[in-house]
Amino acid sequence: MQIIYNGEPREVAEEMTIAELLAELDRPARQVAVELNRELISRDQHVHVRLRPGDEVEVVTLAGGG
Amino acid sequence: MSLVGPAQVELEDPLRLGPHVLRSRLIVGSGRYDNYRVMAESLAASGAHCVTVAVRRERQYDEQGENIFDYLDLDRYILLPNTAGCYNAEDAVRSAKLGRHILDALGNPGADWIKLEVLGDPKTLLPDPVGTLEATRRLVAEGFQVLCYTSDDPVVARRLKEAGAVSVMPAGSPIGSGQGLLNPNNLRICLEYLKDDDPDYPVIIDAGVGAASDVAIAMELGADGVLLNTAIAKARDPVNMARAMMHALHAGRLSYLSGRIPKRLYATASSPEVGVIARTCPPR
């Protein structure tokens, strides 16, 4: 199925959880925060929340900034 | 007989910002460095205790393929996440929550505060006062300690304080412009308005610094601290510029605390006027 990941279309497995998506991205969970359809999903929910086709997912981290 | 060495400029002069006590009044950004190694050295050289960071989509690596987490000492610095790049209150609140979530997971004490930027347009990066005020109210209601980037408009500054900002941070000049403090008189009025009946309310000059002298001037005006990034990151020698900024901050702070002399139109001799061997001087 297709989701919108950080503004770009991305193919992911059916019923993938957020935790599974982060594992696929190979990013340490504590260095990122996740929004699903503009709502923050807390870390303890990552294993429970399943993605659906067309979901908009933002995965953000810290970057240099002033 | 021994000569006394030059006095060490070491101020036991912490900056209290909401729940945080910073060992240095200089707050530095982590953006725009050529690489993370230079960033880490510059942050250390600046003596800063608080470092600002941005919240961005993942996959942020420098040209060496390295990640900021490899170079940011989370035990040494209190991180201050910003909402840079946001043009409305809605996005700023989202960014703030995301930043808080990451800092919480990292166990960094900066999780409870936010450097709020709601910008008006990408050319000037001037703050949108309406969006900034709205975002301040919403973030305060969400339990954030809000440090507010704003223009040097004293009326807006006062509104932001009333809305619950723990610090109002007027800009010296546009972000990254290096123009220094363009309107010191407005900054003076900001300081007066914000500290009237509340002298400990922290006011930080944020943005526009080009060189160390700008930092000294900001502190001499009575600012409680200075926040800067580009002037160090884009200097030819960032590490030494970071050092210069630290010394300028100390110099300006000491100068402010020591009380400058009033400006006079005419000269006042610093040598005694009696006992001069010359008998005559020209009429005034």
Side-chain angles (χ1 to χ4, degrees):
Chain A
M1 67 175 184
Q2 197 176 68
I3 61 168
I4 305 296
Y5 169 74
N6 282 357
E8 304 280 338
R10 183 185 178 100
E11 282 297 324
V12 298
E14 297 286 329
E15 303 212 327
M16 180 180 248
T17 64
I18 286 172
E20 288 164 351
L21 175 68
L22 292 182
E24 191 176 288
L25 295 166
D26 195 25
R27 281 308 296 262
R30 70 185 202 121
Q31 293 182 1
V32 298
V34 181
E35 259 188 1
L36 176 59
N37 300 323
R38 303 170 79 87
E39 288 294 326
L40 179 72
I41 306 295
S42 66
R43 217 160 256 102
D44 54 2
Q45 293 301 306
H46 288 184
V47 291
H48 303 301
V49 177
R50 293 186 184 282
L51 301 175
R52 289 179 299 191
D55 273 349
E56 289 183 29
V57 182
E58 293 281 351
V59 179
V60 301
T61 187
L62 299 184
Chain B
M1 192 183 102
S2 68
L3 290 172
V4 178
Q8 288 291 310
V9 183
E10 278 183 37
L11 288 180
E12 284 292 327
D13 185 26
L15 171 59
R16 287 169 204 284
L17 277 178
H20 298 288
V21 180
L22 302 182
R23 288 190 300 273
S24 168
R25 291 173 177 269
L26 186 64
I27 299 174
V28 292
S30 54
R32 302 198 65 192
Y33 284 93
D34 285 350
N35 58 66
Y36 289 129
R37 200 172 296 274
V38 175
M39 178 200 78
E41 279 181 47
S42 303
L43 298 182
S46 76
H49 186 195
C50 175
V51 173
T52 63
V53 290
V55 176
R56 287 292 179 271
R57 285 172 169 169
E58 66 97 29
R59 294 286 160 201
Q60 301 283 334
Y61 296 97
D62 72 0
E63 285 169 10
Q64 280 73 36
E66 291 177 310
N67 182 290
I68 195 168
F69 291 99
D70 303 329
Y71 288 92
L72 211 46
D73 186 343
L74 296 173
D75 296 324
R76 176 174 186 164
Y77 301 114
I78 300 178
L79 299 186
L80 172 57
N82 68 30
T83 65
C86 292
Y87 290 88
N88 58 61
E90 177 75 34
D91 288 343
V93 172
R94 284 173 65 202
S95 277
K97 287 181 178 176
L98 289 164
R100 174 163 70 181
H101 203 60
I102 297 172
L103 265 62
D104 259 335
L106 295 172
N108 191 271
D112 61 351
W113 64 4
I114 188 74
K115 179 193 162 184
L116 176 64
E117 288 183 28
V118 181
L119 305 174
D121 70 68
K123 186 172 183 178
T124 64
L125 298 180
L126 287 172
D128 175 342
V130 178
T132 302
L133 188 58
E134 185 194 337
T136 301
R137 290 188 179 125
R138 289 174 60 178
L139 288 167
V140 168
E142 294 270 358
F144 282 93
Q145 309 285 325
V146 182
L147 286 75
C148 236
Y149 163 70
T150 181
S151 71
D152 60 13
D153 182 327
V155 179
V156 174
R158 192 156 55 184
R159 291 290 191 128
L160 294 171
K161 184 185 174 188
E162 287 166 2
V166 299
S167 176
V168 172
M169 308 198 293
S173 56
I175 294 172
S177 72
Q179 295 184 62
L181 276 53
L182 286 180
N183 193 341
N185 289 338
N186 260 30
L187 294 172
R188 278 194 187 94
I189 300 172
C190 285
L191 285 159
E192 186 187 315
Y193 276 18
L194 294 167
K195 287 173 170 290
D196 221 20
D197 306 325
D198 188 8
D200 294 334
Y201 186 80
V203 180
I204 293 167
I205 305 301
D206 176 7
V209 166
S213 50
D214 300 327
V215 173
I217 291 168
M219 296 307 290
E220 284 184 334
L221 288 176
D224 296 275
V226 174
L227 196 163
L228 63 93
N229 184 344
T230 306
I232 294 177
K234 288 297 168 197
R236 190 177 64 240
D237 181 345
V239 177
N240 274 321
M241 187 59 90
R243 223 167 260 145
M245 296 300 184
M246 176 185 71
H247 287 301
L249 186 122
H250 287 162
R253 177 70 176 164
L254 277 173
S255 175
Y256 170 71
L257 293 173
S258 306
R260 62 155 299 141
I261 59 164
K263 291 185 182 181
R264 298 178 200 278
L265 185 57
Y266 294 109
T268 308
S270 31
S271 304
E273 288 175 26
V274 294
V276 180
I277 58 165
R279 289 286 173 197
T280 60
C281 68
R284 70 184 174 106

